[in-house]
Amino acid sequence: MALSGVRLVVFGKQGAGKGTQCVRLSDHYVVPHISTGDMLRAAVKNRSELGLKAKAIMERGELLGDDLIMEMVAERLAESDACERGFILDGFPRTAHQAEALAAFMAPGDLDLAVDIELPTAEVLRRLAGRRVCSECGANYSVSSPPKVNWTCDTCGGEVIQRKDDTEEAIKRRLEIYERQTAPLIDWYSKRGQFAEVDGVGSPEAVLRQIIRAVEERRKDLGTTR
Ligand code: AMP
């Protein structure tokens, strides 16, 4: 029997390993990894109308308007892969308004879980300073774990670069915004019994195991496989 899908939101400060875990979770549950940051970076690259609106805001490390983001996410969630098996949401929701819009969009269904990968801020800053990403496919690297050949992506051959919003100033602003706007979402999901925290300090495999266990426990509580 095929493994059931999942509907998962993954939180974590920038640099907590969220992107890496989302890729692994997407493979594990065979559901799409939907990253609003990646979708927006693609829009900027393609110079679409959305990309032109998003570029300067993203470079300042600020958030785009809720309505714009919700429209983009709703369109993606309406595609057949997400409807049939679910999704791993990365970077969304980021405000209470977005969380409410997501719940309304999924009704009468619901999320399985919102998971927060917790990491001390000092460790986050250390990791972000060394983070590098593929400018084509978004694959994650770092100065201590670079691609095999000359800053060229192992997967797609794209150029591996430092993100424009990984400057010290933009990182500081994004962490402040995370504390102010996104951390309260943890309360929002906790009150609905849909929240689990995992420790982001261990190896990627250990963090993945914690997340899968949290999903299984939540399903056991609900007496459901989905
Ligand atoms: P990320 O890759 O998730 O850190 O997102 C990069 C940037 O895209 C953020 O700093 C925001 O400018 C924008 N962004 C991504 N997701 C959202 C969202 N859910 N709401 C508003 N802005 C977003």
Side-chain angles (χ1 to χ4, degrees), residues 11-18 116-121 124 128 175 178-179:
F11 291 123
K13 292 176 194 130
Q14 289 78 9
K18 187 162 50 83
D116 180 36
I117 305 172
E118 191 45 42
L119 204 66
T121 300
V124 163
L128 283 180
L175 287 175
Y178 181 81
E179 290 300 336

Side-chain angles (χ1 to χ4, degrees), residues 14 18 35-38 40-41 54 57-66 69 72-73 90-95 98 131 163 165 174:
Q14 289 78 9
K18 187 162 50 83
S35 157
T36 45
D38 284 351
L40 290 167
R41 278 183 288 278
I57 301 174
M58 290 174 76
E59 282 177 9
R60 287 198 302 271
E62 289 169 5
L63 293 185
L64 271 84
D66 286 337
I69 290 287
M72 181 182 87
V73 173
D90 170 1
F92 180 94
R94 259 175 156 101
T95 65
Q98 291 180 11
R131 174 160 82 170
R163 273 170 48 168
D165 57 356
R174 281 150 74 209

Side-chain angles (χ1 to χ4, degrees), residues 2-217:
L3 184 70
S4 62
V6 78
R7 290 169 164 186
L8 206 59
V9 165
V10 181
F11 291 123
K13 292 176 194 130
Q14 289 78 9
K18 187 162 50 83
T20 304
Q21 291 303 325
C22 286
V23 170
R24 291 177 183 225
L25 286 162
S26 159
D27 285 347
H28 180 81
Y29 287 107
V30 197
V31 295
H33 167 205
I34 301 179
S35 157
T36 45
D38 284 351
M39 290 166 86
L40 290 167
R41 278 183 288 278
V44 170
K45 199 156 183 274
N46 297 334
R47 298 170 194 266
S48 68
E49 198 183 323
L50 173 66
L52 293 176
K53 280 187 201 156
K55 189 170 187 286
I57 301 174
M58 290 174 76
E59 282 177 9
R60 287 198 302 271
E62 289 169 5
L63 293 185
L64 271 84
D66 286 337
D67 291 347
L68 203 70
I69 290 287
M70 195 53 219
E71 194 185 319
M72 181 182 87
V73 173
E75 249 176 49
R76 180 63 188 87
L77 293 182
E79 286 179 31
S80 60
D81 55 351
C83 287
E84 281 159 22
R85 292 195 55 83
F87 48 78
I88 310 293
L89 269 177
D90 170 1
F92 180 94
R94 259 175 156 101
T95 65
H97 187 207
Q98 291 180 11
E100 276 157 19
L102 177 64
F105 181 83
M106 284 189 303
D110 213 341
L111 274 190
D112 287 299
L113 203 62
V115 179
D116 180 36
I117 305 172
E118 191 45 42
L119 204 66
T121 300
E123 175 62 12
V124 163
L125 290 173
R126 197 187 63 76
R127 287 192 190 182
L128 283 180
R131 174 160 82 170
R132 301 292 181 270
V133 294
C134 173
S135 57
E136 296 291 332
C137 73
N140 277 305
Y141 296 93
S142 71
V143 284
S144 56
S145 177
K148 293 191 187 83
V149 184
N150 202 18
W151 296 104
T152 299
C153 180
D154 294 340
T155 312
C156 77
E159 190 189 0
V160 174
I161 54 162
Q162 182 163 35
R163 273 170 48 168
K164 281 225 176 81
D165 57 356
D166 274 351
T167 61
E168 204 179 316
E169 198 185 331
I171 289 169
K172 215 172 130 232
R173 179 168 302 135
R174 281 150 74 209
L175 287 175
E176 276 166 19
I177 291 175
Y178 181 81
E179 290 300 336
R180 195 171 67 238
Q181 287 193 293
T182 309
L185 291 179
I186 288 172
D187 277 351
W188 197 88
Y189 283 112
S190 295
K191 285 192 186 119
R192 298 164 70 104
Q194 289 177 317
F195 178 71
E197 182 179 299
V198 301
D199 180 0
V201 174
S203 67
E205 292 71 27
V207 178
L208 180 68
R209 277 197 300 275
Q210 287 183 70
I211 300 175
I212 292 169
R213 202 176 315 127
V215 171
E216 280 166 7
E217 276 166 19

